[in-house]
Amino acid sequence: MMVDGIAPALAEALEKRGYSELTPVQKAVLDPALGQSDALVSAQTGSGKTVAFGLALAPTLLGETERFGAAGAPLGLVVAPTRELALQVARELVWLYEFAGASIATCVGGMDMRTERRALERGAHIVVGTPGRLRDHITRGALDISGLAAVVLDEADEMLDLGFREDLEFILGSSPVERRTLMFSATVPRAIATLAKEYQRDAVRIAAAGEQKQHHDIEYRALVVSPSDRDNAIVNVLRYYEARNAIVFCNTRAAVNHLTARLNNRNFSVVAMSGELSQNERTHALQAMRDGRARVCIATDVAARGIDLPGLELVIHADLPSNPDTLLHRSGRTGRAGRKGISALIVPHPARRRCERVLQAARIEAEWARPPSADEVVARDNERMLVDPALSEPVSEGERDFVATLLDRFGPEQMAAAYLRLSRSGRSAPEYLSESGPLPAAGKARGQAGTPSKSRDDFGDSVWFSLSVGRKQNAEPRWLIPMLCRTANLTKREIGAIRMQPEETFVQISADSADAFVEALGPHMTIQGNIRVEAVEGEPDFARSAYRPQRPEKKPHRGKGGYDKGNDERPAKKKFTEAGTKPWGDKPGADKPWGSKKPAKPKFEKGAAAKPAKKPKRPKSD
């Protein structure tokens, strides 16, 4: 394979590897206009960037020679964010520089530092490592980078996200100023631009051609499920596609452990990849995936960074990615080198809008659908069985006699049934899924071209409900809506207008969902135990401070006039009389002039009945 700009030794290695055409990013770094300049390259996962910077480094490291001389202090340094990615880069550079006689050494966390130190003492032309371990070797004097000619930062955005900025600045600050610096990053946020401006000299910005069409070999499917059916949906997706290799992404280590246990119980061959595993355990897990002993890898985003599994056909997002970059990095594990792949997002229906926003930001159009049902999984199994080569291969001479014996003893129908049971015995039974919320119109994400957004004014038939919280209780739609969705399995599209009042809130619910909403609230009609919900007849009068009919007054205090409980009208307020008197209720003297004194208590007069005599004092004793 002879291409202008490729060193002959590397061209020979590419031809041996079966390369017939370079990818866009590989062609971009070979542009003669680039020369020996620094470069900031944006390239997505799976675009062939490892080979790209390997080709770009060759002229700088080899110079005018075709092969490397004796190994000593390293000439090239490649920094990667994770152990797996660093080891994968090293493997790629080994075969790429095979005919150039390069010695490649690795320095990654979790490996034996003494072994790495001995390899560095023997000498290496190129060193590949993670930021923390490289810094350790530099500070201990085991790694001499004073003679570096070039430095490559692979997945630079990920290294900054993982908190390696200080280590990177130390490594770049310790290397020669006149070095060549190549940065490869899936995205170029402000932090990357700042790092490039500080440590690169007039860097050439390269956006590989064809990157605008993200992962065109990947079929994206957004599968809407009930929140309680997430694990069951993952089981059915794995069973439906029966991929040779599949990876399931979770957001946390706890979720990885939970899902690993669930799938192990369902007879799937599973390995886990998370940060709590040792390097030896992670290496064995990847090897199990490569040699076929395991078919499903459950991993966190950080642990799976840089994983390259040959023949990976299926990516499942058990937890939704938090941003479009994470979605692209996860999905980039499949659909490589012209092979087709499937990226399936498990979308609990309360999180459907969030998924739509991530897809729209990533400029990806996904097909919205339900997860495969149990019947669809069984039908797919039957289709695979009918095309099984074991049923089409002719009967051999060694098998013929015993086949005849089996047919005579059991008959064709019994033998077919036995084969069916045997083929299904090693597989997990599919799960039955409950109904979930509605799908977006036309299978597209809300807000994309061709999908008109639904106006609240055209909400349609609805029922109004009153909630016993309002502005005085700091009620806000941003926490009321998720609470309603969780409590009654509603989607946001089934919730219409929300009208906040001082002490209550009116919520519009689709008429088709109103009965289910009431049933989900239970007999007490409460949410979260203390928020009362009442159905409203017709449309509330929002002009009033509170639409709820006034309740009967509490029992009056003692001494105050009451009112007839059977009368709906409250007693009129007390008023002054025309004569200037104040009513005193039913007590005597009710017409007493206002401001006059109360009648004095009667005094005892002479001649009147005497007061009762006081009890005589007891005489003092002598």
Side-chain angles (χ1 to χ4, degrees):
M1 180 179 183
M2 297 302 297
V3 178
D4 293 340
I6 299 182
L10 275 64
E12 185 179 356
L14 290 172
E15 187 174 357
K16 180 183 176 181
R17 195 76 173 184
Y19 273 71
S20 58
E21 185 179 357
L22 299 179
T23 64
V25 67
Q26 293 164 1
K27 293 178 182 177
V29 299
L30 293 175
D31 189 346
L34 180 61
Q36 296 295 311
S37 301
D38 292 352
L40 175 57
V41 184
S42 60
Q44 295 295 333
T45 302
S47 59
K49 56 185 172 56
T50 304
V51 173
F53 63 69
L55 296 175
L57 284 176
T60 305
L61 303 183
L62 287 171
E64 299 298 329
T65 62
E66 293 188 2
R67 290 180 59 86
F68 288 100
L75 300 173
L77 180 67
V78 181
V79 189
T82 64
R83 294 171 279 185
E84 285 72 30
L85 182 55
L87 295 175
Q88 177 191 321
V89 168
R91 287 193 299 268
E92 292 287 302
L93 294 181
V94 164
W95 69 258
L96 183 61
Y97 282 87
E98 175 186 1
F99 300 107
S103 174
I104 313 293
T106 58
C107 299
V108 299
M111 306 298 283
D112 191 342
M113 285 193 70
R114 295 169 298 177
T115 303
E116 294 176 350
R117 189 183 184 98
R118 286 193 293 268
L120 294 173
E121 290 174 352
R122 290 193 297 269
H125 298 105
I126 302 174
V127 173
V128 183
T130 51
R133 180 55 63 91
L134 288 172
R135 181 174 183 175
D136 285 345
H137 282 300
I138 294 172
T139 55
R140 294 170 187 265
L143 177 59
D144 179 12
I145 60 173
S146 60
L148 284 181
V151 175
V152 176
L153 302 185
D154 191 16
E155 302 280 10
D157 56 341
E158 182 68 11
M159 285 193 283
L160 293 185
D161 289 343
L162 294 176
F164 290 132
R165 184 184 186 92
E166 184 178 346
D167 294 332
L168 292 177
E169 291 177 345
F170 174 83
I171 294 170
L172 294 174
S174 303
S175 59
V177 177
E178 62 274 10
R179 72 182 183 276
R180 186 184 182 197
T181 307
L182 304 177
M183 287 190 186
F184 284 75
S185 179
T187 59
V188 186
R190 180 178 300 177
I192 293 294
T194 303
L195 191 69
K197 185 177 181 180
E198 185 174 356
Y199 291 100
Q200 288 186 310
R201 297 169 298 173
D202 300 324
V204 177
R205 177 74 169 85
I206 298 176
E211 292 297 328
Q212 297 300 321
K213 190 175 181 181
Q214 301 285 357
H215 301 166
H216 57 277
D217 287 330
I218 302 175
E219 176 187 349
Y220 286 87
R221 294 177 63 82
L223 307 177
V224 181
V225 301
S226 172
S228 60
D229 274 339
R230 188 200 72 153
D231 292 356
N232 293 338
I234 293 172
V235 169
N236 283 9
V237 171
L238 290 171
R239 286 282 290 104
Y240 184 82
Y241 290 105
E242 289 288 340
R244 183 175 67 175
N245 273 338
I247 186 167
V248 182
F249 281 101
C250 301
N251 288 343
T252 63
R253 298 178 186 179
V256 168
N257 296 334
H258 163 79
L259 199 55
T260 301
R262 293 291 300 270
L263 294 183
N264 268 322
N265 290 337
R266 282 163 175 75
N267 208 27
F268 287 94
S269 53
V270 182
V271 294
M273 286 283 291
S274 65
E276 64 186 4
L277 300 180
S278 67
Q279 180 59 42
N280 192 40
E281 291 172 325
R282 291 151 71 105
T283 302
H284 283 300
L286 287 177
Q287 188 57 38
M289 292 290 293
R290 292 190 177 102
D291 60 27
R293 287 180 289 120
R295 297 179 63 179
V296 181
C297 177
I298 305 175
T300 57
D301 293 316
V302 173
R305 193 77 177 196
I307 290 179
D308 185 16
L309 294 173
L312 185 69
E313 300 173 351
L314 176 63
V315 171
I316 299 177
H317 308 264
D319 295 321
L320 290 179
S322 57
N323 55 66
D325 292 336
T326 302
L327 172 62
L328 295 175
H329 282 304
R330 286 179 174 185
S331 303
R333 304 296 107 206
T334 186
R336 295 187 173 210
R339 295 188 296 267
K340 301 296 182 181
I342 295 173
S343 178
L345 296 93
I346 307 300
V347 187
H349 58 74
R352 193 184 64 202
R353 294 284 179 83
R354 179 161 62 90
C355 180
E356 291 174 348
R357 289 193 295 268
V358 172
L359 289 171
Q360 185 178 9
R363 292 179 294 178
I364 288 174
E365 184 175 326
E367 179 184 352
W368 289 82
R370 311 282 184 195
S373 65
D375 293 338
E376 289 173 333
V377 173
V378 172
R380 190 66 177 266
D381 286 341
N382 295 340
E383 292 175 4
R384 282 190 285 262
M385 188 183 302
L386 291 175
V387 297
D388 191 333
L391 294 175
S392 57
E393 293 179 359
V395 180
S396 65
E397 290 297 328
E399 299 169 337
R400 193 176 301 278
D401 292 342
F402 192 65
V403 167
T405 301
L406 290 174
L407 290 175
D408 290 342
R409 178 172 298 184
F410 300 104
E413 183 177 358
Q414 188 64 28
M415 288 301 302
Y419 176 74
L420 179 62
R421 298 188 198 107
L422 185 63
S423 64
R424 291 179 176 176
S425 61
R427 299 172 179 171
S428 173
E431 300 288 345
Y432 287 90
L433 307 178
S434 59
E435 283 294 328
S436 56
L439 300 177
K444 293 184 179 181
R446 179 184 176 91
Q448 292 181 354
T451 307
S453 60
K454 190 173 183 178
S455 171
R456 293 296 182 188
D457 297 334
D458 301 329
F459 190 66
D461 295 337
S462 62
V463 178
W464 285 90
F465 290 87
S466 172
L467 280 62
S468 62
V469 289
R471 286 192 293 267
K472 289 185 178 180
Q473 291 78 28
N474 297 322
E476 294 181 352
R478 65 181 180 181
W479 63 263
L480 280 174
I481 293 175
M483 179 181 65
L484 293 171
C485 292
R486 288 193 307 268
T487 302
N489 285 336
L490 294 175
T491 64
K492 291 182 180 179
R493 295 197 177 194
E494 295 170 286
I495 301 175
I498 296 179
R499 297 289 185 265
M500 308 294 296
Q501 302 295 323
E503 294 187 352
E504 66 181 329
T505 300
F506 298 103
V507 180
Q508 188 182 22
I509 303 294
S510 171
D512 296 335
S513 307
D515 292 340
F517 176 63
V518 172
E519 184 178 353
L521 294 177
H524 299 292
M525 291 287 287
T526 58
I527 299 176
Q528 292 189 348
N530 60 349
I531 299 178
R532 298 184 304 276
V533 181
E534 295 180 7
V536 176
E537 294 185 4
E539 185 171 350
D541 182 7
F542 301 118
R544 297 177 57 178
S545 60
Y547 173 80
R548 193 191 313 275
Q550 298 187 16
R551 297 177 180 176
E553 286 293 326
K554 296 180 180 179
K555 185 177 180 180
H557 295 293
R558 288 185 302 170
K560 293 186 177 181
Y563 61 93
D564 187 1
K565 293 184 178 180
N567 188 357
D568 291 338
E569 296 184 359
R570 297 179 62 182
K573 293 182 179 180
K574 300 172 183 178
K575 298 181 180 179
F576 297 119
T577 61
E578 296 180 358
T581 60
K582 182 178 180 180
W584 291 82
D586 298 328
K587 296 181 180 180
D591 296 332
K592 180 180 177 181
W594 176 255
S596 62
K597 296 182 179 180
K598 295 182 180 180
K601 293 182 179 180
K603 295 182 178 180
F604 291 97
E605 299 178 357
K606 293 182 179 181
K611 293 183 179 179
K614 294 183 178 178
K615 185 176 180 180
K617 294 183 178 179
R618 184 177 179 178
K620 295 182 179 179
S621 60
D622 297 332

